[in-house]
Amino acid sequence: MSLFTPMATDPELPPYALNHARILYDSALVGSSSFSSAGSNPSFPLIPNTAQRWTTSASAYVQYLMPSNADVDTVCIGAHNLSTGNYTVTAYYRTTGGGALIAFDTITPANNNAIMFHRDNSISARVIEIHITSGSGAAFIGSIYAGIALQMQRPFFSGHTPAVLARQADYYSSMSESGNFIGVEVRRRAIESQASWANLSDEWYRAYFVPFLDSAELLPFYFAWNLLQYPNDVAYCKNITNISPSYSGTRDLMSVDIPLVGIA
């Protein structure tokens, strides 16, 4: 190696390729002051209750002024109906409270699944704004996160069922005494899947994954399994069980499974 050859990136530490899952769980927007150009309840997307939402009936934006600058490489939107009204959504940021508005990214959602805007390099943001344009009709957003996404150390080697394709429903179904169908009612819809990883180093797991598990005990999170090939496969999830790793044959390599239960 010459003086002009940089050291190679440590393969055990991030950043990782986009086919490694991204998980956004620690939102820098908590504690922000909120404002919306139209509609009502712009603070509601910051609380983990998706029955309470920012609502608007036309193109508008919602703005969050953080208490101080935060590093951001990912912005996520969940529990929304933007595709229903054919809205286009753009995430913007400002580096200061009154600074220039800079586009983070723009998406025209094909469905009402969760949305993840992600970039390779983080920016220092004081303000995050979400603009919805080009659509019409009643629109709502129930969750907005911004922050640094957890990058999983390994990709999926043995297959994965995308949560957005694993839809589940509980039904009330009625039949007549003669055996005829007379009605079906959906009681609950959800997405349910599982993410499994092997060969995670002990050092990485303790430094990066354990803080995520601490948060996931109480708060929901955003999960994208492969932004490289499937950037629209994003789920807004919560944890419903205990998660414990196991050593996978060698002293310092771990395996772990996490359930993915989210909004359909």
Side-chain angles (χ1 to χ4, degrees), residues 152-175:
M152 291 303 299
Q153 188 184 34
R154 311 295 184 209
F156 292 107
F157 291 114
S158 57
H160 173 70
T161 299
V164 298
L165 301 180
R167 295 176 177 266
Q168 305 292 325
D170 294 335
Y171 299 97
Y172 291 116
S173 181
S174 299
M175 297 181 67

Side-chain angles (χ1 to χ4, degrees), residues 101-223:
L101 197 62
I102 305 169
F104 196 92
D105 202 354
T106 297
I107 291 176
T108 301
N111 51 50
N112 291 326
N113 294 337
I115 297 169
M116 179 177 287
F117 302 97
H118 179 76
R119 55 189 297 154
D120 292 334
N121 299 313
S122 65
I123 49 88
S124 177
R126 183 67 187 278
V127 173
I128 296 292
E129 293 188 12
I130 304 298
H131 292 230
I132 63 170
T133 58
S134 304
S136 62
F140 62 78
I141 298 176
S143 173
I144 300 174
Y145 282 23
I148 297 293
L150 167 66
Q151 301 182 21
M152 291 303 299
Q153 188 184 34
R154 311 295 184 209
F156 292 107
F157 291 114
S158 57
H160 173 70
T161 299
V164 298
L165 301 180
R167 295 176 177 266
Q168 305 292 325
D170 294 335
Y171 299 97
Y172 291 116
S173 181
S174 299
M175 297 181 67
S176 69
E177 291 185 359
S178 60
N180 293 306
F181 292 116
I182 58 175
V184 176
E185 181 180 350
V186 177
R187 180 166 65 96
R188 181 184 71 99
R189 289 187 178 91
I191 53 177
E192 297 183 15
S193 186
Q194 180 170 289
S196 302
W197 292 276
N199 300 321
L200 302 173
S201 71
D202 179 273
E203 179 182 9
W204 181 91
Y205 188 94
R206 295 174 189 270
Y208 294 99
F209 204 70
V210 168
F212 158 62
L213 295 182
D214 290 342
S215 173
E217 288 181 355
L218 297 175
L219 298 173
F221 54 91
Y222 287 88
F223 179 85

Side-chain angles (χ1 to χ4, degrees), residues 67-116:
S68 59
N69 278 56
D71 291 334
V72 174
D73 67 6
T74 304
V75 177
C76 290
I77 297 170
H80 69 86
N81 71 336
L82 301 179
S83 175
T84 302
N86 296 312
Y87 284 97
T88 293
V89 56
T90 303
Y92 292 93
Y93 69 94
R94 301 177 191 268
T95 59
T96 61
L101 197 62
I102 305 169
F104 196 92
D105 202 354
T106 297
I107 291 176
T108 301
N111 51 50
N112 291 326
N113 294 337
I115 297 169
M116 179 177 287

